[in-house]
Amino acid sequence: MAGQPPRRRADARRNEKALLDAAAEVFVGAGVNAPVRDIAARAGVGTGTIYRHFPTRADLIIAVYRHQVEACAEAGPDLLAGSDTPYAALARWIDLFVDFLVTKHGLAAVLRSDDAGFDALHAYFLDRLVPVCARLLDAAAAAGEIRSDLEAYELMRAVGNLCIGAEDDPRYDARRLVGLLVAGLRRSRRTGSGPGAPCGPGRTG
């Protein structure tokens, strides 16, 4: 890549992104063991192109995981800059995070066969996404929209727990439950009390 002209490098990045987007969509619908030809058809390329970029299925799975982490991380600042309020940006980001988690659980089941590799990816996931969530929470708290004592990790952990098994049970709507959780973060506009208010003397929750 270092010896390629800028335009060729940009084209290569776009092509790889298209492959990873296609693979992620196929994984969501058919699982991580979906045929490579299905991914190639979705991306509009030949199977040889995929194998040139990702020689093994494990390479492809790890690349999809990292690609989705990066997309989720990059969305945070964009949403904060483009939304009407920090709380609206937070809610939209959590919605994207839910989309990621549904796919992530399928990927994690495969990656657990290599504990060291999975641990490294999990650390990467936390390093990239916890600061993004923290920035959104801090902005919403500074605007007086949510309580200020919530940690990014615990919110992400709570959302993750609500998403477990969602892809396997059509009767379970994880997105609706996560929406209720995020709605519960808001402070009352009238008094500043209620479930979103900070606990003061004599309060227990």
Side-chain angles (χ1 to χ4, degrees):
M1 291 292 289
Q4 294 180 352
R7 180 169 180 177
R8 189 174 177 186
R9 288 199 299 269
D11 288 344
R13 286 193 294 269
R14 281 195 296 271
N15 291 340
E16 183 170 327
K17 179 181 183 301
L19 290 178
L20 294 174
D21 286 340
E25 291 173 6
V26 172
F27 285 170
V28 169
V32 294
N33 291 316
V36 171
R37 64 178 178 273
D38 292 351
I39 298 171
R42 180 69 62 91
V45 300
T47 56
T49 299
I50 293 180
Y51 285 121
R52 280 198 300 275
H53 284 274
F54 312 106
T56 69
R57 184 172 294 270
D59 292 332
L60 179 60
I61 290 170
I62 290 171
V64 168
Y65 185 103
R66 293 176 68 93
H67 175 61
Q68 291 191 309
V69 168
E70 287 303 314
C72 200
E74 291 169 4
D78 291 341
L79 289 172
L80 195 56
S83 299
D84 291 337
T85 67
Y87 174 82
L90 173 65
R92 291 175 65 190
W93 188 81
I94 291 294
D95 200 44
L96 292 175
F97 185 53
V98 170
D99 288 338
F100 168 77
L101 289 176
V102 171
T103 302
K104 171 185 174 291
H105 285 130
L107 297 175
V110 175
L111 294 169
R112 285 188 191 281
S113 61
D114 176 6
D115 290 342
F118 179 78
D119 288 345
L121 283 174
H122 185 64
Y124 168 74
F125 162 83
L126 294 177
D127 288 346
R128 290 294 287 130
L129 297 188
V130 170
V132 176
C133 185
R135 181 179 173 186
L136 290 162
L137 285 172
D138 289 345
E145 296 181 292
I146 65 170
R147 59 190 300 160
S148 59
D149 61 346
L150 183 64
E151 296 291 333
Y153 176 81
E154 63 183 345
L155 175 60
M156 292 171 61
R157 180 70 180 268
V159 172
N161 286 340
L162 288 173
C163 290
I164 292 174
E167 69 274 24
D168 299 322
D169 188 350
R171 299 172 300 172
Y172 179 62
D173 188 351
R175 194 179 300 280
R176 186 179 75 87
L177 285 224
V178 171
L180 292 174
L181 171 65
V182 174
L185 301 178
R186 300 204 73 170
R187 298 184 64 176
S188 168
R189 293 185 177 182
R190 291 179 299 172
T191 63
S193 61
C199 296
R203 291 184 180 178
T204 59

